[in-house]
Amino acid sequence: MALARVIATERSAPLDPGSAMAVRAGGEVIGSVSGGCVEGAVVEQALEVLRTGAPRRLTYGISDDEAFGVGLTCGGIIHLAVERLDWREEFLELAGAIEREEPICLVTEIEGPEPGAHLVITPDEVRGGLQPRALHEHVVGEAQSMLALGLTGTRRYGTEGEARRGDVEIFIQSFAPPARMYVFGATDFARATARMGKFLGYRVTVCDARSAFVTRRRFPEAVELVVSWPDEFLAQAPVDRRTVICVLTHDPKFDVPLLQTALRTEAGYIGAMGSRRTDSDRNRRLREVGVTDEALARIRGPIGLDIGARNPEETAVAIGAEIIALRYNFPGGFLRERQGGVHSSPSTAEVPAAEV
């Protein structure tokens, strides 16, 4: 089959880098690269790649004035790489790791000395090679860093691997297990937040010291239910830079030690529920036990975007919206009042990994 992948986007492109479409020799299509705008043209290109075996780099932009012009009606631009997919050993390893929910990334040389060359990289192993060696070493280092963050995107290098915009274009696609969300406090707000976390693709764990409240009936969306003191559980739980920590216990005897522990991790999001008064009191208690103002700035408290949320479901939407805004470095606010494209952002070069 031929595989077409979105490797970069500009402005309001419909799908993110990493979105893919496979085309079999008989014309069967699986997946999408534009939500339907340019799929027909991509299929033609994919069939030609199947015939010749030569990879292609394609770019599609806004529709031409003529009705029959091939383009994106949304006004964005997408860059695609199309290659013939031969099931070599490294691709079988890639498929197996994704099925086992183990982190892995696929590196593809789009433009350079060896277009179509691949590396398959895990945290512990590198399969394949790029030439020259200096380029290989630079790409492997960057790919391992991106895999740790679950990022997908393109990078350009000089022909000797110089970390600058040059003639060699590399696409690094990370496949990471779902990021973790830890919800502390088995309240009604936690129930709604756990549902929101599952909806956003997180692996949700709910933790509370009260066994009567931590039940499968109350939290059917959670992958894991834990009865434990929150700070004791978090101290031994796996946490990385994609991890979300939602402190909904609303009780100083839980909040303070739990937030102390959370701030010692590299979690990308730490939010704590409470009124302004509760938040101020909680910060005072944290300062008393030695937490600095710099560390306190990491806590999103009161938790969530300011959308007027009242009940648990609305609050969960506000929390989910804040998590998304921080993930993509957006300030939040009304879309109609923003300047620029709908999907433009201070950081659009890379996106979180496709979740298995």
Side-chain angles (χ1 to χ4, degrees):
M1 65 178 69
L3 181 68
R5 286 182 292 164
V6 179
I7 60 172
T9 64
E10 300 174 44
R11 299 196 295 270
S12 299
L15 296 175
D16 286 327
S19 301
M21 183 175 75
V23 181
R24 289 181 172 160
E28 181 184 357
V29 176
I30 305 169
S32 178
V33 291
S34 72
C37 301
V38 301
E39 257 72 358
V42 176
V43 168
E44 292 181 9
Q45 296 285 342
L47 291 173
E48 186 64 16
V49 167
L50 271 177
R51 187 183 68 82
T52 65
R56 295 187 176 188
R57 191 188 194 283
L58 309 172
T59 297
Y60 295 97
I62 189 169
S63 295
D64 299 327
D65 293 336
E66 295 84 357
F68 57 84
V70 174
L72 301 176
T73 56
C74 60
I77 298 173
I78 61 172
H79 303 276
L80 306 174
V82 187
E83 60 185 314
R84 189 166 66 192
L85 190 60
D86 298 316
W87 287 101
R88 300 191 297 271
E89 184 178 353
E90 58 264 32
F91 287 105
L92 295 174
E93 181 178 356
L94 178 72
I98 293 172
E99 185 176 359
R100 295 189 300 270
E101 296 192 351
E102 298 171 355
I104 193 167
C105 72
L106 175 64
V107 175
T108 306
E109 185 171 321
I110 306 300
E111 294 179 343
E114 298 180 280
H118 294 100
L119 300 175
V120 173
I121 298 176
T122 70
D124 305 314
E125 187 179 7
V126 177
R127 283 186 175 269
L130 302 177
Q131 296 298 327
R133 186 65 187 177
L135 173 65
H136 175 90
E137 292 175 353
H138 277 89
V139 171
V140 168
E142 185 134 30
Q144 289 173 332
S145 297
M146 291 178 66
L147 178 60
L149 295 172
L151 299 176
T152 287
T154 56
R155 294 292 185 269
R156 281 195 172 271
Y157 301 87
T159 54
E160 293 298 320
E162 304 94 325
R164 61 174 175 79
R165 191 169 183 84
D167 298 328
V168 181
E169 183 179 29
I170 302 292
F171 181 53
I172 301 171
Q173 183 171 6
S174 295
F175 297 88
R180 299 178 182 89
M181 172 185 280
Y182 295 119
V183 179
F184 294 97
T187 64
D188 286 344
F189 289 91
R191 292 175 66 181
T193 301
R195 290 197 297 272
M196 177 58 66
K198 175 67 179 298
F199 180 72
L200 293 177
Y202 286 93
R203 184 186 189 279
V204 179
T205 296
V206 176
C207 175
D208 195 294
R210 304 166 298 174
S211 60
F213 292 90
V214 188
T215 65
R216 180 57 58 190
R217 183 174 182 179
R218 285 171 58 82
F219 295 98
E221 292 85 6
V223 173
E224 183 180 25
L225 299 175
V226 176
V227 179
S228 173
W229 283 80
D231 61 306
E232 295 177 0
F233 166 73
L234 186 60
Q236 51 79 41
V239 176
D240 59 28
R241 293 166 69 178
R242 297 193 299 144
T243 300
V244 166
I245 297 174
C246 297
V247 179
L248 311 181
T249 46
H250 209 239
D251 185 331
K253 70 175 178 290
F254 292 116
D255 287 7
V256 173
L258 174 56
L259 287 168
Q260 280 184 281
T261 303
L263 289 171
R264 288 195 288 268
T265 73
E266 58 177 358
Y269 178 93
I270 303 172
M273 175 172 281
S275 65
R276 295 286 183 191
R277 179 176 178 179
T278 297
D279 187 60
S280 178
D281 179 68
R282 182 168 51 219
N283 287 343
R284 176 184 61 79
R285 292 170 184 266
L286 286 166
R287 289 189 182 95
E288 288 176 353
V289 295
V291 177
T292 66
D293 286 344
E294 181 181 6
L296 286 176
R298 291 180 60 199
I299 302 173
R300 313 298 296 189
I303 195 170
L305 288 190
D306 182 16
I307 60 173
R310 294 290 188 273
N311 60 41
E313 288 72 24
E314 292 173 347
T315 301
V317 170
I319 293 170
E322 184 173 58
I323 291 169
I324 295 169
L326 290 176
R327 179 194 297 173
Y328 295 113
N329 193 26
F330 270 78
F334 293 107
L335 188 59
R336 63 180 292 176
E337 296 176 2
R338 288 188 67 241
Q339 300 297 316
V342 171
H343 297 113
S344 63
S345 166
S347 178
T348 57
E350 52 201 30
V351 300
E355 292 182 348
V356 288

